Amino acid sequence: MGNVGEEGSLRKLFDFLTGKKLEWESMGETYDVVYIGNDKYEFKAGKENFRKQLKIYFPNETKSIDVYLKLIDRANRMGNVFFFEKIFKPILSQSLGWLIRKRYEVYSNKTTAEVLSKITSNKRLLAVLCAQCGNYGLTPKHSSFAAHAMVVGHFMEGGYYPTGGASQIANKTIDTLNENGGAVYINAKVDEIIIEKNRVQGVKIEGTFIPCKSVISNVGITNTFTKLLSESARKKCNIDLKNVSPSSAHLCLYLALTKSDAALNLPKHNVWYFDNENIDATFDEITLKNAPEKFAYISFPSAKDLLWQEEHPNTAIIQALSVGNYEWFKQYENSSWMKRDEAYVEIKKDFENSMLERLYTLFPQIKGNILITEVSTPLSTKHFSNYQHGEIYGLEHTPTRFSLPFLRPETKIKGLRLTGQDITLVGVAGAMLSGMLCAITILKFRVAALFKEMGQ
Ligand SMILES: Cc1cc2nc3c(=O)[nH]c(=O)nc-3n(C[C@H](O)[C@H](O)[C@H](O)COP(=O)(O)OP(=O)(O)OC[C@H]3O[C@@H](n4cnc5c(N)ncnc54)[C@H](O)[C@@H]3O)c2cc1C
């Protein structure tokens, strides 16, 4: 996560949600390292450090780098207003809201490649600037510059990891919910949201009807409107998903190692590997056979976690992922988790071997120190998170996505609200922002008291 350091803009919100029980560990001065073939580029925390480092790599591009950083700032300032507009009531949204959306189109309606090609023609610089595109799941030719700017801006002051692991984000938030009279249910699959006379009546969970007046759905716009609601509800809310696709999916190798991160000299930073500087072409060429040869994202959760060695002494973990197309696995979609075909297991094994090759070239010291391996596919994402195409980040972050009028917390059905990454943007931060916007539509003017309590 970005922006959760002591002064970070999301820190107060996390402190509020978790009663200050969630702690964050900085990933250090360098939060991302990009490899393009054998060439290495470090992303330094802090805008001025970031700028300085880029200028060292690209001394002939100093002006372009300044223009780029200015543009990121401008786009994000306007982006914040664009997202805030999502809580406007229809009448304000049609007038002032229209103006806000129109102004943001300068960024949101253009692809990252279109915007960046106006700043520089240096292919290597373009590749380095776009190397974090895996964070929003779309290459420069297809992604909206608005998504690029938001995600790059999010990490500009550095990366942070929740102490105790990513599960602590949920665990510590659940503690607060329980303390305040809430209740959280897991393995409780909602089959249907029941609507009568244009009003929410309740939900059905595995055949059991639970009456309620209000439903806030974060299961994604596609799930909400194609799985949980009828076609008439979809029509009522003017949901038209034909111009926007699910984001791409992924394959991931999870490794457990027999020595500590320190003993193996593993870094805290993430690694983005591309085999050449043309990111769009690289992604177009990816197949099931060559994915890790072309692209890999590698992270070291145990190295980032202060508590890991206390709880799991003399071990380390690595996650290494690449692009994975749902279509490659579609023929196995009707089999169940851990009971799939032998051929499916073989595919996973092949991926494991080719990803290990990639890892051994970058981190040869892990060879001979592997304890456990496991591979996830887009079917795993579907199994665990219920994204129908195993998509990694909900709806894809194209220019079209930013023009969809129904990606707002309030719907035309009374009592039905939407939240989560689809309403704003990918990431824990995007989902939190959606949550805030949705809460504001419920609390209305009472939100001032909430902000006061949060010290905002
Ligand atoms: C491999 C991977 C790595 C990532 N790394 C990062 C990162 O480092 N930093 C970052 O900020 N973001 C990261 N993200 C993105 C981040 O996880 C998402 O953007 C964020 O979790 C979205 O939150 P959400 O609430 O919108 O949806 P989700 O977190 O997907 O929550 C939706 C929940 O609804 C449940 N659900 C679905 N259907 C039903 C149903 N019918 N009934 C009941 N429950 C249902 C799902 O099981 C799921 O738990 C990563 C994502 C992936 C896949």
Side-chain angles (χ1 to χ4, degrees), residues 170-171 174 183-189 205-206:
N171 292 348
I174 289 172
V184 175
Y185 297 88
I186 58 165
N187 290 328
K189 189 164 183 276
I205 298 184
E206 283 158 11

Side-chain angles (χ1 to χ4, degrees), residues 1 10 13-14 17 419 424 427-437:
M1 290 269 321
L10 294 173
L13 184 52
F14 265 114
L17 288 175
T419 189
T424 51
V428 176
M432 276 174 85
L433 172 62
S434 290
M436 280 295 289
L437 295 176

Side-chain angles (χ1 to χ4, degrees), residues 1-2 135 154-155 188-191 218-220 223 228 250 252 254 297 319 321 381 383-387 391-393 419-422 425-431:
M1 290 269 321
N135 276 336
H154 174 71
F155 288 110
K189 189 164 183 276
V190 175
D191 299 318
N218 80 321
V219 302
N223 271 338
L228 305 185
H250 75 290
C252 185
Y254 299 84
Y297 166 79
Q319 293 172 6
L321 67 84
T381 312
H383 174 83
F384 287 104
S385 300
N386 202 27
Y387 288 104
E391 60 267 37
I392 189 165
Y393 300 138
T419 189
Q421 61 188 350
D422 280 354
L425 213 69
V426 59
V428 176

Side-chain angles (χ1 to χ4, degrees), residues 46-61:
K47 190 159 69 176
E48 290 319 310
N49 300 331
F50 183 88
R51 187 196 310 269
K52 206 168 130 194
Q53 190 65 25
L54 270 184
K55 288 183 179 179
I56 293 172
Y57 296 132
F58 299 98
N60 298 328
E61 293 284 342

Side-chain angles (χ1 to χ4, degrees), residues 109-120:
N109 204 23
K110 294 211 166 72
T111 65
T112 308
E114 274 170 338
V115 173
L116 297 192
S117 65
K118 300 249 161 43
I119 299 176
T120 178

Side-chain angles (χ1 to χ4, degrees), residues 195-431:
I195 312 285
E196 269 172 31
K197 296 186 184 141
N198 201 38
R199 179 172 255 300
V200 167
Q201 303 295 330
V203 291
K204 244 190 208 164
I205 298 184
E206 283 158 11
T208 306
F209 175 68
I210 300 180
C212 60
K213 286 186 183 159
S214 173
V215 167
I216 302 170
S217 175
N218 80 321
V219 302
I221 199 96
T222 313
N223 271 338
T224 305
F225 283 96
T226 63
K227 297 280 168 191
L228 305 185
L229 286 161
S230 64
E231 198 178 329
S232 65
R234 188 158 73 239
K235 280 197 180 131
K236 173 83 196 163
C237 296
N238 298 327
I239 306 290
D240 181 357
L241 293 169
K242 70 174 179 296
N243 293 324
V244 66
S245 306
S247 55
S248 61
H250 75 290
L251 286 152
C252 185
L253 171 65
Y254 299 84
L255 289 181
L257 303 159
T258 54
K259 288 185 182 149
S260 70
D261 300 279
L264 289 167
N265 194 25
L266 296 177
K268 280 184 175 187
H269 59 245
N270 306 315
V271 169
W272 299 95
Y273 173 87
F274 299 86
D275 80 337
N276 71 77
E277 65 191 17
N278 193 339
I279 295 181
D280 280 297
T282 301
F283 275 65
D284 287 346
E285 286 161 13
I286 284 180
T287 63
L288 180 54
K289 292 264 174 271
N290 68 9
E293 274 168 46
K294 296 261 164 209
F295 164 73
Y297 166 79
I298 305 157
S299 73
F300 305 88
S302 52
K304 297 173 198 171
D305 184 3
L306 272 185
L307 291 184
W308 182 268
Q309 286 308 317
E310 229 173 82
E311 289 169 5
H312 313 276
N314 303 320
T315 64
I317 50 170
I318 298 179
Q319 293 172 6
L321 67 84
S322 190
V323 175
N325 191 329
Y326 188 79
E327 294 305 310
W328 301 341
F329 300 92
K330 199 170 168 40
Q331 59 180 308
Y332 309 109
E333 69 182 356
N334 294 324
S335 55
S336 20
W337 180 58
M338 287 296 183
K339 288 186 193 130
R340 303 197 205 274
D341 249 46
E342 204 41 48
Y344 173 81
V345 177
E346 282 291 310
I347 296 176
K348 293 209 314 182
K349 196 73 206 161
D350 287 348
F351 176 79
E352 176 177 326
N353 289 336
S354 50
M355 187 53 98
L356 279 175
E357 284 303 309
R358 168 63 47 237
L359 283 168
Y360 292 153
T361 58
L362 294 168
F363 303 96
Q365 68 272 33
I366 66 169
K367 217 171 189 170
N369 288 302
I370 293 168
L371 180 67
I372 301 170
T373 61
E374 183 56 89
V375 169
S376 73
T377 74
L379 295 188
S380 323
T381 312
K382 184 176 179 182
H383 174 83
F384 287 104
S385 300
N386 202 27
Y387 288 104
Q388 299 307 311
H389 296 90
E391 60 267 37
I392 189 165
Y393 300 138
L395 294 179
E396 63 179 358
H397 290 70
T398 53
T400 306
R401 172 195 171 121
F402 286 84
S403 67
L404 298 177
F406 47 83
L407 297 183
R408 306 172 79 80
E410 288 186 295
T411 72
K412 289 188 173 155
I413 295 171
K414 289 193 186 77
L416 177 68
R417 285 187 172 81
L418 307 170
T419 189
Q421 61 188 350
D422 280 354
I423 301 310
T424 51
L425 213 69
V426 59
V428 176

